[in-house]
Amino acid sequence: ITLPQAEACLKEHLGNCYVEEDWMDALKAVMDAEGDNVKAAEAVEKLASAACQRTGLVVKIWPLTK
């Protein structure tokens, strides 16, 4: 998947909730891994760990509607 394709998928899935700045680090980390799944997973884990350390972080999981 290319970076533009990944961004398009995120935009489609998140709709108006998509904020490009929120995804830049994660997308860059995965793209920089260049097909190395282990390296990509490690990068995402590092970002997830950092996000969990931020105070005031709110995770909202919206229900799917049919």
Side-chain angles (χ1 to χ4, degrees):
I1 188 168
T2 66
L3 179 57
Q5 290 171 323
E7 289 173 330
C9 289
L10 281 169
K11 288 176 185 176
E12 181 181 335
H13 181 71
L14 297 174
N16 292 336
C17 295
Y18 176 78
V19 178
E20 183 176 357
E21 294 80 27
D22 293 347
W23 290 96
M24 287 174 46
D25 290 341
L27 289 171
K28 182 178 180 341
V30 172
M31 291 300 166
D32 287 351
E34 297 182 22
D36 183 339
N37 292 341
V38 173
K39 185 176 177 181
E42 289 171 351
V44 170
E45 180 62 33
K46 183 177 177 182
L47 289 168
S49 178
C52 289
Q53 302 301 316
R54 292 187 57 151
T55 59
L57 178 68
V58 176
V59 176
K60 295 182 180 178
I61 301 174
W62 300 100
L64 294 176
T65 57
K66 292 185 180 187

